[in-house]
């Protein structure tokens, strides 16, 4: 898979102004897909154990990542409408696009791999984005986007991606339960 295929799957990529960020995001997905032997990113499931538990059969990771990117961008734009906040929209979009890239290493189809089992989500993502030449601010967005690590968002960009991810994940869970406290 080359960079252009990543832009086909994630059209939001082209909205990143900073060329090194844009290429780094594309490289992270390209490398991850190559390492995982994934030909088409659209075939990768969102979160196998949760999908099995909730009886959700078809939920592509790509759709979730696009939801998170759209939600993050909307939040960033809303914040910037009335406030001169210390916020890079490029970092928000790039962070949203790579926040779950480690899932390609954590699962093989619906099965958990040694990376997923021994490292958990999303520690390996830090390695993936760093190897792709992305800055530490992007690694921080990845590491702090979930309660599965002890690292909390230190930046507004990381906070936005975390909240957008929570909302997007809740939107998936809400298709399976009436009360989100049960999911
Ligand atoms: Fe996510």
């Amino acid at each position: 898979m080359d960079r252009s295929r990543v832009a086909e799957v994630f059209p939001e990529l082209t909205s990143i102004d900073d060329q090194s960020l844009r290429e780094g995001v594309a490289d992270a997905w390209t490398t991850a897909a190559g390492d995982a032997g994934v030909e088409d990113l659209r075939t990768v499931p969102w979160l196998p154990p949760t999908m099995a538990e909730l009886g959700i059969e078809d939920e592509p990771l790509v759709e979730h990542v696009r939801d998170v990117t759209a939600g993050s961008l909307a939040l960033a734009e809303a914040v910037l409408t009335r406030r001169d906040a210390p916020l890079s929209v490029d970092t928000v979009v790039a962070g949203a696009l790579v926040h779950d890239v480690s899932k390609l290493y954590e699962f093989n189809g619906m099965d958990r791999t040694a990376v997923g089992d021994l490292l958990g989500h999303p520690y390996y993502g830090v390695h993936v984005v760093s190897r792709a030449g992305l800055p530490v601010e992007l690694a921080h967005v990845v590491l702090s986007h979930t309660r599965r690590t002890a690292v909390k968002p230190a930046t507004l960009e990381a906070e936005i991606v975390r909240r957008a991810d929570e909302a997007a994940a809740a939107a998936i869970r809400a298709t399976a339960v009436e009360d989100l406290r049960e999911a």
Side-chain angles (χ1 to χ4, degrees), residues 31-70:
T31 302
D35 288 349
V38 169
E39 295 281 329
D40 184 352
L41 286 172
R42 283 174 270 240
T43 63
V44 177
W46 165 60
L47 187 53
T50 300
M51 289 166 62
E53 194 182 312
L54 297 177
I56 298 172
E57 283 186 11
D58 184 29
E59 189 58 55
L61 178 62
V62 163
E63 296 302 316
H64 165 69
V65 169
R66 296 195 65 197
D67 285 351
V68 175
T69 307

Side-chain angles (χ1 to χ4, degrees), residues 46 64 68 99-100 103 145 165:
W46 165 60
H64 165 69
V68 175
H99 83 280
D100 269 348
K103 283 186 183 163
H145 87 265
D165 182 48

